[in-house]
Amino acid sequence: GDLSTPLMRQAVFFTLVGAINTIGDIILYFILTRTIGFFGEHLVIAKGMSFLVMGVSSFFMNRTYTFKLTHAPSWREYSKFLATNITGLTVNVTATFVLLRAFTFIDIPAVIGAAFVSYFWNFSTQKLWVFRKKAPEHRIVGRDFVLLIGIIMVIFINLIEE
C-alpha cells in the first residue's frame, strides 16, 4: 500500500503499536502469573495489571510514533486516552453482542468483526480527540464524547436486557 498519505501511515503505525502492545500484554500476563504467587492466584488482577502497563506503553508509542506529537504529555491527554480505550471495550463488546444476536453469527466471526469495529473506533477517537495537533474550532467535543458514551451504554444495556 501507499504510505505516502499521513492517514495511511498513521493507520499502519496504529496497527503495529496495537500488535506490539497486545503481544506485550500477553507476555507480561504470562510472566506475572508464572513468577509471582499473588498473580498466579488472582488471574483477573494480573490481567488488569498487564492491560494497564501495556496501555501506558500504547499511549506513549501512539503519541510519539503514530501521531508524532512533540509537546509534553498531560494527565488530561492520558485521561482522554483511557476514556477512548474504555469506550472501545464497550464498542467491542456491544458489536460482538449485536453480531451474535442480530445476525446469528457464530462466535469467532462475531469477535473478529467486533475487533474491526473497535479498531476504527479507537483509531478515530485517538486521532481526532486524544492526539489531535491543534485545538478544535469549538470546545463542545468533550460533551459530545460523554453523550456518545452514554448512548452506547444505554444501547448495550437495552440489548442485554432483551
Side-chain angles (χ1 to χ4, degrees):
D2 179 18
L3 295 181
S4 63
T5 66
L7 180 64
M8 190 55 119
R9 189 197 67 72
Q10 287 175 339
V12 168
F13 273 75
F14 188 81
T15 302
L16 290 172
V17 166
I20 289 166
N21 283 290
T22 298
I23 292 166
D25 180 30
I26 294 165
I27 291 169
L28 181 56
Y29 171 83
F30 183 84
I31 291 169
L32 288 173
T33 59
R34 298 328 188 257
T35 63
I36 301 173
F38 174 82
F39 290 119
E41 295 173 15
H42 299 91
L43 300 178
V44 174
I45 294 172
K47 181 60 190 111
M49 180 67 70
S50 67
F51 178 83
L52 288 173
V53 168
M54 296 317 297
V56 171
S57 169
S58 178
F59 171 77
F60 284 105
M61 290 175 77
N62 275 314
R63 185 177 200 289
T64 303
Y65 302 111
T66 305
F67 300 108
K68 295 190 176 279
L69 297 184
T70 56
H71 62 275
S74 67
W75 283 109
R76 177 178 168 91
E77 190 177 61
Y78 187 70
S79 65
K80 289 167 131 183
F81 176 80
L82 285 177
T84 63
N85 282 300
I86 292 167
T87 55
L89 173 62
T90 305
V91 167
N92 185 290
V93 171
T94 302
T96 302
F97 181 83
V98 168
L99 290 171
L100 286 171
R101 188 107 183 229
F103 302 109
T104 61
F105 273 47
I106 56 174
D107 62 340
I108 299 304
V111 168
I112 292 169
F116 280 104
V117 171
S118 61
Y119 169 87
F120 288 107
W121 166 265
N122 287 331
F123 179 73
S124 300
T125 56
Q126 288 184 34
K127 177 175 177 50
L128 300 173
W129 189 53
V130 177
F131 297 120
R132 72 172 175 259
K133 290 190 179 186
K134 61 180 184 174
E137 296 299 318
H138 58 82
R139 288 282 175 196
I140 199 164
V141 174
R143 282 179 274 173
D144 291 344
F145 189 72
V146 170
L147 179 62
L148 184 58
I149 293 169
I151 291 169
I152 290 168
M153 292 179 78
V154 167
I155 291 169
F156 182 68
I157 290 167
N158 284 327
L159 288 172
I160 291 174
E161 290 177 352
E162 287 182 6

